[in-house]
Amino acid sequence: MEQVTVIADCAVATVDAQGTEYARGYVVARGNRIDAVGAGDPPDLGADARHVDGRGCLLTPGLVNTHQHLYQWITRGLATDHTLFEWLTTLYPVWAGIDEDGVRVAATGALATLARTGCTTTTDHHYVFPRDGGDPLAAEIAAAAQVGLRFHPCRGSMDLGASAGGLPPDHLVERLDDILAASAEAVARWHDPSSDAMLRIALAPCSPFSVTPDLLRESAALARELGVRLHTHLAETIDEQDYCLATFGCTPARYLQRLDWFGPDVWYAHAVHLDDDALAALAETGTGVAHCPTSNARLGAGIARVADLVRAGVAVGLGVDGAASNEAGSMIEEPRHALLWARNRGGPHAMTVRTALELATMGGARVLGRAADIGSIEVGKLADLALWRLDTAAHAGIADPVTALVLGSPPPLAALLVNGREVVRDGEVRTVDTDVVAAEVARAQAKLLAKAG
């Protein structure tokens, strides 16, 4: 018999197309789907239903993280005062020693933190595949299954080493044919196209300065043949723009347009330095953007034109990015930072608190091609739900619960449901022992740094 869960007596922000909210409402989940949502008291569903007390709480859709590098959880706190290119060249020698066990530990730590900060669906962009590193993609997939998050990992790649004019060291790049074969194998082995999928694969060459045009072109063709999405970094820094102008004679956006990398099956990380033509092309082609405000600020990369992107109709989600450029890895901090940076750039009316919440939920669902399944609280959608406790001293006196969530201190979670399963309760991850994970992370980092000398 399907488990019935009733969350009641809470404020509800559905983030549906009408922006429906209830000052006191309920949600009923039956199995892994939302069965009912409304104002007031829930229907009587009998003694077998599991009841969650939502008093003092706000219920929202689970947050959707559209860009991450999970392996970086064991390289936090390094290169803290560097530009992107300086940061990368400092850390590549460290990342060269990563193996599947290190990735498993790092991914578990990062995913548990995402869960504890309200994330129910996350992507990951893994592009470091040392020759003796085992199977890091399988390792992070196992970690996501253990933690219990809905997972969209990207089979990343690099084939342009330093000797050929790229940024990564030669021993970290792969051959084009090997990348394409491994990408096809990953899709065949892991990708689930069903509407309630917990696991989907995308293809993700790393960046314009670490891959060849052939890899970008061939990956796009393969992804479309296999029916999966495409992801890469775009226009993150001025250094990247200068590299593309010098190497390809055009901006990063124009370069990727030439290689058939715009369309509704593509999403870009960062998209900070866009001109008006690039922004219009994103909107016209349905191409999505993963905005990473914390990481962009940490690296001093600049602030994306998020208000302009949203106004143009571009699908925009939020991402924490890798923990080596966002040591907190906290998903609930991203809507607040997106709002603050947008207002800093465009004034106090540039973004509302509800738009910020939408970016973190429905925006992310659109970017990942899951708008029909997740991102809002509606009957028939998957039961990915975050119940935020707002009756704390830090939030007392803030009358609007959405304002309290977005602009107030990051609140604790009363509960987090993913696919109808409870992953977090009363601020604690229930699927893994986070104390054990923390000790494993410390050991894995020490081992990796020792290997790097």
Side-chain angles (χ1 to χ4, degrees):
M1 186 170 62
E2 288 182 315
Q3 172 71 57
V4 175
T5 301
V6 182
I7 305 173
D9 288 321
C10 53
V12 181
T14 68
V15 200
D16 65 9
Q18 295 73 41
T20 306
E21 296 182 12
Y22 304 109
R24 177 177 169 269
Y26 66 87
V27 168
V28 177
R30 189 178 299 273
N32 72 337
R33 295 274 172 181
I34 296 169
D35 192 58
V37 54
D41 295 323
D44 185 359
L45 295 167
D48 291 336
R50 179 165 62 107
H51 289 266
V52 178
D53 185 354
R55 285 177 294 180
C57 298
L58 169 66
L59 186 68
T60 71
L63 307 186
V64 179
N65 179 27
T66 58
H67 186 64
Q68 170 73 298
H69 304 292
L70 295 174
Y71 76 93
Q72 292 181 13
W73 195 256
I74 58 172
T75 59
R76 288 177 295 163
L78 306 175
T80 55
D81 302 307
H82 293 53
T83 67
L84 174 67
F85 278 21
E86 292 168 348
W87 176 87
L88 284 169
T89 53
T90 299
L91 288 171
Y92 273 138
V94 179
W95 296 337
I98 200 85
D99 58 19
E100 65 178 83
D101 186 62
V103 170
R104 176 192 60 79
V105 171
T108 304
L111 290 162
T113 297
L114 287 171
R116 193 172 51 79
T117 58
C119 180
T120 51
T121 297
T122 185
T123 186
D124 184 58
H125 186 183
H126 189 88
Y127 53 84
V128 179
F129 291 88
R131 292 179 178 86
D132 57 352
D135 191 344
L137 188 62
E140 67 174 14
I141 287 171
Q146 183 182 20
V147 175
L149 295 194
R150 202 175 299 281
F151 196 33
H152 282 232
C154 304
R155 206 300 176 177
S157 52
M158 299 188 294
D159 73 335
L160 186 67
S163 66
L167 205 64
D170 287 352
H171 61 276
L172 269 187
V173 302
E174 301 174 276
R175 293 175 59 251
L176 173 60
D177 289 346
D178 292 340
I179 291 167
L180 297 175
S183 297
E185 180 185 3
V187 174
R189 182 180 179 187
W190 301 114
H191 184 69
D192 180 359
S194 70
S195 63
D196 59 353
M198 289 292 290
L199 179 62
R200 286 187 180 174
I201 302 293
L203 303 188
C206 183
S207 62
F209 49 83
S210 60
V211 304
T212 61
D214 285 344
L215 176 56
L216 286 164
R217 192 180 294 109
E218 293 294 330
S219 293
L222 179 61
R224 285 163 181 148
E225 176 187 335
L226 299 176
V228 300
R229 299 179 82 76
L230 285 162
H231 182 50
T232 192
H233 299 90
L234 176 75
E236 184 176 358
T237 66
I238 291 295
D239 286 343
E240 178 188 332
Q241 180 164 291
D242 291 344
Y243 174 90
C244 288
L245 288 170
T247 307
F248 309 116
C250 61
T251 65
R254 178 64 65 186
Y255 171 59
L256 286 169
Q257 262 188 299
R258 292 176 181 171
L259 298 173
D260 202 20
W261 261 77
F262 273 52
D265 56 349
V266 178
W267 86 101
Y268 291 120
H270 307 301
V272 173
H273 300 281
L274 298 179
D275 58 25
D276 289 345
D277 289 344
L279 194 149
L282 291 171
E284 290 165 7
T285 57
T287 307
V289 167
H291 176 41
C292 305
T294 304
S295 174
N296 292 156
R298 198 298 207 163
L299 288 169
I303 301 301
R305 299 170 58 185
V306 177
D308 293 339
L309 289 164
V310 171
R311 197 160 36 242
V314 176
V316 180
L318 300 180
V320 303
D321 204 0
S325 62
N326 178 3
E327 277 75 3
S330 167
M331 191 59 202
I332 190 52
E333 293 184 15
E334 299 308 322
R336 181 172 188 260
H337 290 166
L339 181 145
L340 295 178
W341 303 168
R343 291 185 178 184
N344 185 54
R345 181 180 182 119
H349 301 298
M351 184 179 293
T352 69
V353 292
R354 282 164 175 78
T355 297
L357 177 60
E358 183 178 11
L359 295 181
T361 53
M362 271 305 298
R366 292 188 189 101
V367 164
L368 297 184
R370 301 297 298 269
D373 312 318
I374 60 174
S376 62
I377 302 175
E378 299 181 74
V379 172
K381 283 199 166 185
L382 292 163
D384 290 4
L385 303 165
L387 185 65
W388 305 93
R389 184 155 296 289
L390 297 178
D391 55 0
T392 68
H395 303 92
I398 305 177
D400 176 20
V402 177
T403 295
L405 176 66
V406 173
L407 287 180
S409 299
L413 278 172
L416 186 77
L417 270 62
V418 184
N419 213 42
R421 176 193 183 196
E422 188 177 63
V423 173
V424 177
R425 183 195 308 158
D426 296 329
E428 293 187 3
V429 181
R430 312 298 293 182
T431 51
V432 295
D433 186 327
T434 53
D435 289 338
V436 171
V437 172
E440 289 185 339
V441 165
R443 283 194 295 271
Q445 182 170 31
K447 178 182 175 182
L448 186 62
L449 293 178
K451 186 185 293 188

